[in-house]
Structures are given as C-alpha cells and as structure tokens.
Amino acid sequence: MIDAETKTCDAAFFLDLIAHSPARKLSLDEKMAIIESCQAAAISQFENLIELSPLSHIKNLGFKLVEDVAMENVPVFALCHSAEKKLTLNAKMIEKVEQRLQNFAKRDEKWAVNIKIVVLWHELFHMLEENDPTIYTRNAWIEKKFFNRVKKVPLECASEIGAIYFSKIATNLPFNPRVFELLA
C-alpha cells in the first residue's frame, strides 16, 4: 500500500490538504492555481539558499533545536515555536519512521531517506515564511460567505503545501513527503 502511495502525484496529496480546508468548495482550476502558487513559493525560497544544510539555516535564523522523547503521543514530526525561536523534533516518531525506512530500503533504494533531514527542511520553510511577509503561502486568502457577508479567510493549508514541496525539492525525493505520514 505504501509503495503505491509513492506513485501518487503531488497534486493529489495537495488536493487532499485543500479538501480539509476552507477552500474545499473552490473549482479544480482554482485549487490547482493555489497549489502551483505554493510550489512556486517553495522553489523561490529554495533557490535563494546558498548552503544546503537545513540545520545551518535553522541555527542562522536563531532557532534552538530540541529533540523531545515525551512527544510520542503527538501526531506530528516537529513543532516550530517561532516566538521562542525553538524547533522541537518528535524524537520517538522520527525514530519509528527511521526504523521502517531502513527495512524498506533493503528492498528498494528509494527508501534510503534521512527522515530527520526531510523534517528539518520542512520546518525551515515555515521559518523562512516568518521572515518573508510577501511570500504567497502566508498571504493566501479566500473569500467565504458567512450569513450573507463576505469574509476573507486565511488558507492555512498553503503553508503546509509549500513546506511539503520545499522539503521534497530540497531532498530530491522521488515521491511526496506526505507518504512518511503513513509510516508514523
């Protein structure tokens, strides 16, 4: 089942994120435009990086890296605390996925992935977003009707789409990083 997911195109994974957001009722063309804008933002941020070590960038942004073993019941790989300048990695979840990847890598080289590095690139994108007030993924809004009034609603899934795509291009993964969620 997981091998089959590696053949799923990025757009399908990103459409799934949009399906669980306020943008779920947009047309397919509008959803695809959001995805393309998020991917363009990720590419632009990646092209602006000189050094190819996510940890170096994270430290240069003033963030402290903490590996927490008590987060095992939290269903995320990491939590970025911008105000505290702290990035907390879910050590148990990462270790669990690392072990599964090692087993898969024995059968297929595409699984020879350092999940921790993928997570660091993902979180770095969120940090870069905080430093760039013009980035699309932080400025994606849609108009929704509430009780006959039009209200602008932030499209929070844009940030995740950007971060996921950023980690994919930074690590040169042959499949979408959301596949790792299935291993957690």
Side-chain angles (χ1 to χ4, degrees), residues 13-27 30-32 34-35 38 136 140-144 146 153-161 178:
F13 281 107
F14 298 146
L15 286 169
D16 179 62
L17 286 173
I18 291 173
H20 296 90
S21 79
R24 65 186 158 273
K25 293 185 180 177
L26 295 178
S27 72
E30 291 169 313
K31 292 173 186 175
M32 291 307 294
I34 290 168
I35 291 168
C38 293
Y136 171 80
W141 297 76
I142 61 166
E143 291 185 353
K144 297 289 283 183
F146 292 105
V153 178
L155 193 55
E156 293 175 9
C157 67
S159 179
E160 276 307 294
I161 292 169
R178 285 202 70 198

Side-chain angles (χ1 to χ4, degrees), residues 139-154:
N139 294 301
W141 297 76
I142 61 166
E143 291 185 353
K144 297 289 283 183
K145 241 184 181 179
F146 292 105
F147 302 108
N148 294 325
R149 300 183 102 172
V150 175
K151 181 180 178 182
K152 279 190 154 196
V153 178

Side-chain angles (χ1 to χ4, degrees), residues 91-105:
K92 289 285 187 185
M93 183 180 246
I94 289 172
E95 180 183 325
K96 179 180 176 183
V97 172
E98 279 175 343
Q99 289 172 353
R100 289 184 172 171
L101 287 172
Q102 286 173 2
N103 290 334
F104 288 174

Side-chain angles (χ1 to χ4, degrees), residues 36-163:
E36 289 166 9
S37 295
C38 293
Q39 289 175 318
I43 290 167
S44 175
Q45 289 296 316
F46 185 70
E47 288 174 345
N48 289 330
L49 298 179
I50 297 168
E51 190 176 323
L52 293 180
S53 164
L55 193 53
S56 295
H57 290 292
I58 289 167
K59 288 182 177 178
N60 287 342
L61 290 170
F63 278 77
K64 177 183 174 188
L65 183 66
V66 176
E67 295 192 38
D68 190 339
V69 293
M71 285 179 64
E72 63 185 301
N73 294 326
V74 181
V76 295
F77 286 104
L79 292 171
C80 187
H81 312 279
S82 295
E84 300 172 38
K85 292 281 193 178
K86 182 172 96 173
L87 174 60
T88 305
L89 297 180
N90 186 337
K92 289 285 187 185
M93 183 180 246
I94 289 172
E95 180 183 325
K96 179 180 176 183
V97 172
E98 279 175 343
Q99 289 172 353
R100 289 184 172 171
L101 287 172
Q102 286 173 2
N103 290 334
F104 288 174
K106 292 173 187 170
R107 291 178 291 155
D108 190 337
E109 187 179 294
K110 75 180 172 197
W111 296 107
V113 176
N114 184 330
I115 185 64
K116 186 174 178 180
I117 295 297
V118 175
V119 171
L120 290 173
W121 280 113
H122 180 104
E123 295 304 323
L124 175 61
F125 181 82
H126 291 309
M127 294 171 192
L128 294 171
E129 282 180 308
E130 292 294 321
N131 289 334
D132 184 354
T134 66
I135 191 167
Y136 171 80
T137 54
R138 285 284 188 212
N139 294 301
W141 297 76
I142 61 166
E143 291 185 353
K144 297 289 283 183
K145 241 184 181 179
F146 292 105
F147 302 108
N148 294 325
R149 300 183 102 172
V150 175
K151 181 180 178 182
K152 279 190 154 196
V153 178
L155 193 55
E156 293 175 9
C157 67
S159 179
E160 276 307 294
I161 292 169

